[in-house]
Amino acid sequence: MGSRASSLLRDEELEEIKKETGFSHSQITRLYSRFTSLDKGENGTLSREDFQRIPELAINPLGDRIINAFFSEGEDQVNFRGFMRTLAHFRPIEDNEKSKDVNGPEPLNSRSNKLHFAFRLYDLDKDDKISRDELLQVLRMMVGVNISDEQLGSIADRTIQEADQDGDSAISFTEFVKVLEKVDVEQKMSIRFLH
Amino acid sequence: PSRKQTPTAEYPQGRRQAQLEQKEPFRPKSPQRKQIERESHHKRLQGRKPSSAERTCKGRRKRNAKASLKDQRTLPKKKKEVLKKETHKKIKKPRSSSLASSTSSGESLSEEELARILEQVEEKRKLIATMRNKPWPMAKKLTELREAQAFVEKYEGALGKGKGKHFYAYRMLMAKKWIKFKRDFANFKTQCIPWEMKIKDIESHFGSSVASYFIFLRWMYGVNLVLFGLIFGLVIIPEVLMGMPYGSIPRKTVPRAEEEKAMDFSVLWDFEGYIKYSALFYGYYNNQRTIGWLRYRLPMAYFMVGVSVFGYSLMIVIRSMASNSQGSTGEGESDNFTFSFKVFTSWDYLIGNSETADNKYASITTSFKESIVDEQESNKEENIHLTRFLRVLANFLIICCLCGSGYLIYFVVKRSQEFSKMKNISWYQRNEVEIVMSLLGMFCPPLFETIAALENYHPRIGLKWQLGRIFALFLGNLYTFLLALMDDVQLKLSTEETIKNITHWTLFNYYNSSGGNESVPRSPLHPADVPRGSCWETAVGIEFMRLTVSDMLVTYITIFLGDFLRACFVRFMNHCWCWDLEAGFPSYAEFDISGNVLSLVFSQGMIWMGSFYAPGLVGINVLRLLTSMYFQCWAVMSSNVPHERVFKASRSNNFYMGLLLLVLFLSLLPVAYTIMSLPPSFDCGPFSGKNRMYDVLHETIENDFPTFLGKIFAFLANPGLIIPAILLMFLAIYYLNSVSKSLSRANAQLRKKIQMLREVEKIHKAVKGRTTVTNSEDTPKNSSKNATQLQLIKEESISHSPNQTQAMDKKAQGAGTSSAYGRISQPASWNLLGSQPPEVRLDSGHHQSQPQICRSTSGKRAQRQPPH
């Protein structure tokens, strides 16, 4: 398996992924074997069904949204590059990364990129705003049918009222960041990838 | 690194990945490793040059770095630089790879890293060269210079100058190995934390509140281990090793009357017989000043250990309370966004179990419902008189219950004293006190809950009331028990004088009667035949011992019957029953956190009270906590279901600690009273023959210390000195209290200010938003771009290297001019930063992510401008 993993990964590809995502060599090979084990069709790409087999995603109310985040616009397959690019959001921020690369492109695992990933989970129509309807959909997913629409509506209204700053009755990314500024996103949105 | 070393317990974040990884079957790793190595070797053989993409990327980065440095270098020079560096790299590459081939691919220095370091070293050198021209204050120049020099010195080897290169590579390798070792060591440490995996397992199934009970239990176990070490190491083991052996003196011998039954199990079970006359209890210890060849002062040690048990417990409880409350101050402003937090952060992404997921759904739903209820509650008008009447009625009923239970215990204890005088009493009569106390503890809390339904409180407040009432019940029971015990002790003390006379008389008669034949000195009276006093200390110790053991058994039986058998019944009889057992009446039990914590706290109180009179009690408690850890872990995983309402663990934790402190204080009182004001028994225990127990201190000071020290102690014990000292302490407490009050007031004011600023901001924004309604299509995009930019700046502001500050200033200016948001909020945050006193840290230290978006920009400005 391991040998297959690295033989399928070409060197250049590996280097590029390394550069783009910041994962180490062994992390990439390890994640590649994970990728291939998820790939039931064995065609080098993952489909939505492949992701839905992961129990954590299957039971997550926002699981579909998370899975969607792996796929770029209009596609229903994701290759290893894309897979890694999405996972890179969850790479922990290491100490030496804070100081270097001041002027380079922002790494995928920066705080704002992590937050933006989370924001996109809620922002369905990709207009960089979470509207009341989008909030209602999320709420509906999270509570099921136990609460009446009216009550959910009032919760959504309250949420927007709390977070909204510019009076447009929607939550922009800036406002989203403001809401979550107390949350230790760097730590919470990090997965400890094995080396 | 093999898969077995994967640290699943260290971070909860790691777990998901670990789970993902563990799902696939184990495959041998070595072929892959070999393959990688072969490949990298292959690469090296090709004499790889940096790809064009790499080159351009590096060049760009470098250029950027220079721009940020405001370096006046010309373009050709720059190009030369790049070229030079590449040649460097080409030369260097084979060397580095030859080194790398000796190690595994993961640990060697990658070329990328080398290039980066090289770049940085170059930068720093340039910085040193151009330091003179910088428009910085002298102090800054100096620090920067020193920093840069240190950096260059450290990494100069990377530039590839002969031996330095190898040395550097070696050092880097070692550094990497060191880091890896540290990580492995950290993993090892996590593995060494007892029950960590079990607790994490429970946490994932039942949420943090249930886990907090087990963490509390583990903490308690640690504390008890320390106490156990103190008592066993300093009292019991010296006594066993060096003290007089069993049977040598009357207090260490079973009396003749009890001798034949002393080994019966039923007797031993009651801690009578041989156990009563063992080192587990106070009475066994002799009042010899020193024992053994070490001349160990056992009575002194006994006294000091008794004091230090309380001292250590007080210290550790207060310390952990303080550390808990330090963390809790950080929650200040978050109540601004209750609903937003619920919407955005309520799901726990680590949940991988569908049952837990269902429960999480339920708990999210309940929390939403609760907040809706809160909203409605604040608007609702009620019939206040009816509620008031019901609440008064409920409290009256509960007070009646409490008084009744108190009287019942008093009555039972009195009766047990009568029983103890009688012979041939039944098992029930002997254990009546324990049974009644356990039954009260079992049935009163549900009764209280039923009564509390009358009151119609909000569930959160209701829980606090419930906890308080159970606490009062336990406390009342405990103190009634103590009072009854004290009566018993007084009774025994009053009869002591006559027994003392009898003993003297017996011994006197015994030796005098042998006066006839002086040639054969009569063998001394066998210790078992000497009449002796009742030794109230041991009696008290036995009471606590029995209470502890029966409490433990009742807890286990309750868990077994109430949780496990019920779960079995519900699970297996559900197929052939007329209604749905799982959803309907019996259902599965929930884990009762508050009840468990309270009973843990109270049993600990009993340990504290009893440990002075029964040194072995702590040992029993250690065993008890150990077994209950395993047993409860098993029970909770096998037969309980998660709570419907998950309440926050962190807040209630300090509440439990507060209860523990209160119980500790309350259990200190009776022990202190008995030590200070009751005379010890005349014929048992380490203090026998003294007027008071603390006389052992005087004795030691007089005999073992030089006289001047004795004088100093006597002087210190003078009331004229103690009273001023106490007064001084009160003054200090008063002063500290007022300081902390004013600080918290300042804190609240600042918080209010922030709140106001936020509102002002909001209004501003709203106004702005309305004016720019026409081009609302692109504003959000803009603002989000600004946000990311600003975010970038903020993260940079954490580090302080010179080029970064420069770059940041530049960017900040750009951001300030381009974003309306920045312009508006800047003055506001200046104000804030200016007015914030240094000692009131509005938890900005905890979260670097917390500062407002423009903090970095305004913060930089604020450094230059004098605060308002």
Side-chain angles (χ1 to χ4, degrees):
Chain A
M1 179 71 216
S3 64
R4 207 184 122 220
S6 48
S7 66
L8 281 177
L9 268 185
R10 277 176 296 117
D11 290 339
E12 304 89 78
E13 208 177 355
L14 213 148
E15 281 301 319
E16 277 168 27
I17 291 172
K18 209 192 239 179
K19 189 162 297 150
E20 188 180 19
T21 62
F23 281 115
S24 76
H25 188 285
S26 55
Q27 277 172 333
I28 293 173
T29 44
R30 190 178 274 271
L31 284 169
Y32 190 71
S33 67
R34 176 65 182 149
F35 178 83
T36 42
S37 78
L38 281 176
D39 179 17
K40 296 287 185 234
E42 303 209 325
N43 50 6
T45 56
L46 294 184
S47 61
R48 280 164 212 271
E49 291 75 40
D50 288 329
F51 280 105
Q52 267 149 10
R53 276 189 215 104
I54 303 173
E56 277 84 354
L57 287 178
I59 59 166
N60 193 329
L62 297 175
D64 282 338
R65 307 277 184 94
I66 295 173
I67 293 169
N68 272 336
F70 279 92
F71 297 92
S72 51
E73 196 78 50
E75 289 186 19
D76 55 352
Q77 297 285 318
V78 59
N79 61 7
F80 186 56
R81 278 290 288 275
F83 179 72
M84 292 300 283
R85 208 176 295 130
T86 312
L87 282 188
H89 287 101
F90 295 98
R91 200 164 59 85
I93 301 175
E94 285 156 25
D95 292 338
N96 56 6
E97 273 177 297
K98 283 178 187 159
S99 52
K100 69 166 193 192
D101 273 352
V102 187
N103 298 306
E106 198 177 356
L108 283 170
N109 63 343
S110 69
R111 178 183 166 87
S112 85
N113 269 334
K114 279 179 194 294
L115 276 172
H116 209 248
F117 186 87
F119 183 76
R120 280 197 303 256
L121 294 183
Y122 297 97
D123 180 23
L124 269 191
D125 53 6
K126 300 199 169 47
D127 63 346
D128 280 322
K129 264 184 195 171
I130 302 175
S131 66
R132 184 174 183 271
D133 284 338
E134 285 163 345
L135 264 187
L136 267 181
Q137 282 187 32
V138 171
L139 284 171
R140 176 63 61 216
M141 286 175 180
M142 289 210 295
V143 299
V145 288
N146 292 318
I147 298 183
S148 71
D149 281 334
E150 191 191 340
Q151 285 173 325
L152 276 190
S154 71
I155 291 174
D157 287 339
R158 279 297 303 268
T159 311
I160 289 174
Q161 188 197 329
E162 271 172 7
D164 191 21
Q165 288 179 329
D166 53 5
D168 61 351
S169 314
I171 301 174
S172 68
F173 182 62
T174 330
E175 289 155 0
F176 185 73
V177 170
K178 184 110 172 100
V179 168
L180 295 181
E181 69 183 5
K182 282 268 181 97
V183 181
D184 188 9
V185 173
E186 287 94 334
Q187 200 243 334
K188 288 234 164 75
M189 287 186 67
S190 292
I191 300 173
R192 196 154 171 257
F193 292 99
L194 302 176
H195 287 280
Chain B
S2 81
R3 197 160 296 164
K4 274 176 195 144
Q5 287 173 344
T6 54
T8 50
E10 188 165 15
Y11 303 112
Q13 282 79 22
R15 179 184 288 194
R16 179 169 167 198
Q17 178 62 20
Q19 279 173 352
L20 293 180
E21 295 253 338
Q22 275 159 7
K23 297 246 161 66
E24 51 181 324
F26 181 82
R27 292 181 196 86
K29 233 18 190 188
S30 54
Q32 180 192 350
R33 168 70 59 79
K34 255 182 223 157
Q35 179 79 20
I36 294 163
E37 272 182 51
R38 185 145 37 85
E39 269 177 20
S40 52
H41 192 64
H42 185 63
K43 258 188 253 168
R44 272 171 237 129
L45 287 179
Q46 283 176 345
R48 197 165 47 127
K49 289 171 200 162
S51 66
S52 63
E54 208 178 338
R55 213 178 304 163
T56 50
C57 171
K58 256 171 214 152
R60 198 181 61 221
R61 215 189 293 161
K62 198 155 181 59
R63 231 169 287 140
N64 285 345
K66 270 176 201 156
S68 75
L69 271 168
K70 287 188 187 167
D71 222 355
Q72 289 92 23
R73 286 189 178 251
T74 50
L75 203 68
K77 227 178 178 179
K78 216 181 278 174
K79 268 186 187 155
K80 226 191 282 168
E81 265 304 314
V82 176
L83 277 177
K84 204 174 89 190
K85 204 177 62 196
E86 270 164 20
T87 48
H88 259 309
K89 218 180 291 162
K90 269 179 203 160
I91 298 163
K92 205 169 53 212
K93 216 141 258 178
R95 278 198 219 153
S96 76
S97 53
S98 71
L99 215 146
S101 65
S102 64
T103 62
S104 71
S105 60
E107 287 162 6
S108 68
L109 275 175
S110 73
E111 285 147 13
E112 218 178 302
E113 274 173 297
L114 269 180
R116 204 184 62 232
I117 288 164
L118 211 136
E119 203 176 293
Q120 281 172 343
V121 169
E122 285 288 311
E123 255 172 40
K124 295 275 176 189
R125 287 199 156 169
K126 242 173 286 159
L127 182 71
I128 293 170
T130 57
M131 188 68 83
R132 247 172 245 277
N133 309 331
K134 302 262 179 213
W136 291 342
M138 203 57 198
K140 193 183 174 190
K141 271 190 188 177
L142 273 176
T143 50
E144 292 295 343
L145 185 66
R146 226 165 281 146
E147 231 170 68
Q149 275 172 344
F151 187 88
V152 169
E153 205 170 308
K154 194 173 168 196
Y155 293 105
E156 206 167 22
L159 287 172
K161 298 225 172 81
K163 242 166 52 181
K165 163 88 190 87
H166 283 287
F167 179 63
Y168 172 76
Y170 176 73
R171 220 172 40 185
M172 282 305 280
L173 201 72
M174 286 328 277
K176 283 201 158 190
K177 285 231 154 131
W178 174 239
I179 287 168
K180 189 178 175 312
F181 171 75
K182 271 201 294 199
R183 204 182 57 221
D184 285 345
F185 188 67
N187 290 347
F188 176 70
K189 266 199 310 202
T190 345
Q191 274 177 356
C192 285
I193 298 174
W195 306 303
E196 183 72 7
M197 284 309 292
K198 264 189 197 305
I199 292 175
K200 289 272 180 233
D201 209 15
I202 289 171
E203 189 170 9
S204 77
H205 277 84
F206 293 87
S208 60
S209 49
V210 175
S212 80
Y213 164 74
F214 285 95
I215 289 168
F216 187 57
L217 181 62
R218 182 175 66 184
W219 183 83
M220 207 67 121
Y221 180 71
V223 172
N224 273 287
L225 266 189
V226 173
L227 298 184
F228 175 75
L230 260 180
I231 292 179
F232 262 64
L234 295 178
V235 173
I236 295 187
I237 289 180
E239 168 67 30
V240 169
L241 290 182
M242 299 186 287
M244 292 167 105
Y246 172 82
S248 54
I249 45 173
R251 70 185 67 179
K252 297 190 177 192
T253 322
V254 178
R256 191 69 74 196
E258 298 172 23
E259 217 165 37
E260 56 192 285
K261 277 185 170 181
M263 210 49 202
D264 291 0
F265 181 73
S266 64
V267 173
L268 290 181
W269 184 246
D270 287 338
F271 297 100
E272 297 282 338
Y274 281 108
I275 291 187
K276 184 178 178 183
Y277 300 97
S278 73
L280 295 183
F281 289 103
Y282 171 93
Y284 183 77
Y285 294 85
N286 198 1
N287 61 346
Q288 255 180 315
R289 278 203 63 229
T290 58
I291 56 168
W293 51 272
L294 280 176
R295 304 189 60 71
Y296 189 72
R297 282 163 178 72
L298 191 78
M300 181 67 188
Y302 196 100
F303 188 80
M304 293 314 287
V305 163
V307 171
S308 56
V309 160
F310 280 102
Y312 173 77
S313 309
L314 267 176
M315 198 189 72
I316 196 111
V317 170
I318 287 174
R319 214 180 59 183
S320 77
M321 268 182 91
S323 65
N324 274 354
S325 64
Q326 267 170 13
S328 70
T329 50
E331 294 172 6
E333 212 195 347
S334 58
D335 41 341
N336 276 334
F337 295 115
T338 32
F339 279 90
S340 311
F341 264 67
K342 280 202 177 102
V343 172
F344 291 129
T345 63
S346 51
W347 186 259
D348 184 351
Y349 287 81
L350 296 181
I351 291 175
N353 181 350
S354 64
E355 200 179 322
T356 321
D358 288 343
N359 290 317
K360 188 74 191 171
Y361 276 119
S363 87
I364 291 173
T365 313
T366 8
S367 83
F368 275 127
K369 274 183 181 162
E370 266 179 12
S371 43
I372 293 170
V373 166
D374 278 353
E375 283 286 300
Q376 286 168 346
E377 201 107 311
S378 56
N379 304 328
K380 203 166 54 182
E381 281 291 319
E382 273 186 353
N383 187 352
I384 290 180
H385 295 292
L386 180 67
T387 334
R388 259 186 209 158
F389 169 73
L390 283 177
R391 284 179 188 174
V392 169
L393 181 70
N395 276 316
F396 177 73
L397 286 177
I398 282 169
I399 286 173
C400 285
C401 282
L402 288 177
C403 292
S405 75
Y407 178 72
L408 188 61
I409 288 178
Y410 188 78
F411 174 74
V412 169
V413 173
K414 276 283 171 205
R415 220 158 77 118
S416 79
Q417 284 159 14
E418 280 163 30
F419 284 141
S420 65
K421 281 173 204 142
M422 292 193 287
K423 303 279 173 199
N424 299 329
I425 47 173
S426 66
W427 177 84
Y428 170 74
Q429 284 168 330
R430 211 167 43 229
N431 293 301
E432 198 180 43
V433 183
E434 286 80 13
I435 291 170
V436 166
M437 279 182 80
S438 305
L439 284 180
L440 278 177
M442 223 153 78
F443 286 112
C444 277
L447 186 67
F448 288 172
E449 211 158 341
T450 326
I451 295 174
L454 280 179
E455 292 180 310
N456 199 15
Y457 273 125
H458 187 277
R460 229 184 356 250
I461 304 164
L463 183 77
K464 287 256 154 137
W465 274 96
Q466 171 78 356
L467 273 176
R469 280 165 188 162
I470 300 175
F471 190 79
L473 171 79
F474 281 7
L475 204 66
N477 292 359
L478 204 64
Y479 259 69
T480 324
F481 173 73
L482 277 181
L483 283 181
L485 212 61
M486 214 59 98
D487 279 357
D488 193 26
V489 167
Q490 296 288 1
L491 199 76
K492 279 188 173 146
L493 275 177
S494 62
T495 57
E496 198 160 65
E497 202 57 32
T498 46
I499 296 175
K500 202 172 172 181
N501 284 340
I502 293 171
T503 316
H504 275 293
W505 190 241
T506 320
L507 286 178
F508 183 73
N509 274 351
Y510 180 76
Y511 286 114
N512 273 7
S513 61
S514 65
N517 42 352
E518 278 162 23
S519 55
V520 187
R522 199 165 158 193
S523 65
L525 187 64
H526 190 270
D529 294 326
V530 178
R532 59 184 82 165
S534 45
C535 197
W536 60 269
E537 292 96 338
T538 301
V540 170
I542 286 176
E543 281 301 326
F544 278 111
M545 205 76 132
R546 278 160 61 172
L547 211 58
T548 305
V549 170
S550 75
D551 186 41
M552 172 172 79
L553 290 180
V554 167
T555 314
Y556 289 172
I557 290 170
T558 322
I559 289 173
F560 189 74
L561 288 181
D563 289 353
F564 182 65
L565 287 188
R566 175 171 154 191
C568 283
F569 176 75
V570 169
R571 178 83 181 74
F572 295 113
M573 296 301 282
N574 203 21
H575 305 295
C576 46
W577 206 262
C578 20
W579 67 83
D580 189 5
L581 285 173
E582 284 183 351
F585 162 59
S587 158
Y588 297 108
E590 279 184 1
F591 186 78
D592 177 17
I593 304 171
S594 53
N596 273 303
V597 168
L598 279 181
S599 69
L600 190 63
V601 163
F602 270 93
S603 62
Q604 190 58 39
M606 280 193 280
I607 303 304
W608 277 322
M609 270 192 259
S611 68
F612 190 76
Y613 297 118
L617 191 59
V618 181
I620 301 267
N621 195 41
V622 166
L623 282 181
R624 181 179 99 129
L625 291 177
L626 192 70
T627 49
S628 92
M629 189 78 193
Y630 284 106
F631 188 63
Q632 287 195 310
C633 274
W634 166 77
V636 83
M637 288 303 278
S638 69
S639 50
N640 283 10
V641 288
H643 279 258
E644 229 174 84
R645 182 181 308 129
V646 182
F647 54 94
K648 257 188 168 177
S650 55
R651 278 192 190 163
S652 42
N653 218 0
N654 231 7
F655 184 64
Y656 296 147
M657 279 294 176
L659 289 185
L660 191 66
L661 188 66
L662 187 62
V663 165
L664 175 57
F665 181 71
L666 290 176
S667 57
L668 180 61
L669 283 182
V671 177
Y673 169 75
T674 49
I675 288 178
M676 297 311 277
S677 55
L678 290 185
S681 302
F682 74 98
D683 64 347
C684 67
F687 312 113
S688 57
K690 295 191 177 57
N691 197 20
R692 291 284 183 268
M693 291 180 189
Y694 57 84
D695 283 345
V696 71
L697 281 180
H698 292 286
E699 195 189 64
T700 313
I701 288 168
E702 269 171 31
N703 298 340
D704 296 337
F705 285 98
T707 44
F708 75 90
L709 266 181
K711 268 180 196 157
I712 290 174
F713 278 119
F715 181 64
L716 284 181
N718 188 1
L721 210 67
I722 288 177
I723 291 171
I726 290 175
L727 274 180
L728 199 69
M729 249 151 70
F730 271 115
L731 284 178
I733 289 170
Y734 178 74
Y735 170 73
L736 288 176
N737 198 24
S738 55
V739 164
S740 82
K741 249 186 204 155
S742 70
L743 282 180
S744 69
R745 216 170 21 237
N747 216 341
Q749 245 164 13
L750 283 171
R751 196 165 290 155
K752 214 185 268 171
K753 216 179 237 173
I754 290 175
Q755 178 76 25
M756 266 165 59
L757 282 176
R758 221 176 77 84
E759 266 153 28
V760 167
E761 233 171 68
K762 224 172 177 174
I763 293 165
H764 264 273
K765 281 279 237 180
V767 169
K768 258 244 156 2
R770 245 167 263 145
T771 52
T772 57
V773 143
T774 44
N775 51 357
S776 60
E777 286 298 286
D778 47 27
T779 30
K781 247 176 203 169
N782 254 340
S783 66
S784 78
K785 223 164 78 190
N786 284 335
T788 43
Q789 221 171 351
L790 288 163
Q791 205 69 47
L792 229 156
I793 297 162
K794 192 164 55 181
E795 275 170 17
E796 288 159 11
S797 73
I798 294 162
S799 59
H800 295 291
S801 70
N803 48 349
Q804 281 163 11
T805 33
Q806 292 255 333
M808 203 168 55
D809 272 357
K810 236 178 165 183
K811 274 201 179 176
Q813 277 162 12
T817 47
S818 67
S819 90
Y821 179 37
R823 252 206 320 266
I824 290 168
S825 58
Q826 263 171 22
S829 27
W830 289 349
N831 239 335
L832 186 69
L833 283 161
S835 62
Q836 193 165 332
E839 64 267 44
V840 183
R841 295 184 52 186
L842 247 133
D843 55 45
S844 58
H846 292 300
H847 317 269
Q848 287 191 324
S849 53
Q850 174 263 352
Q852 282 134 351
I853 294 211
C854 279
R855 187 190 144 184
S856 59
T857 62
S858 55
K860 280 291 158 222
R861 303 269 168 79
Q863 277 182 3
R864 290 186 198 152
Q865 295 184 352
H868 300 230

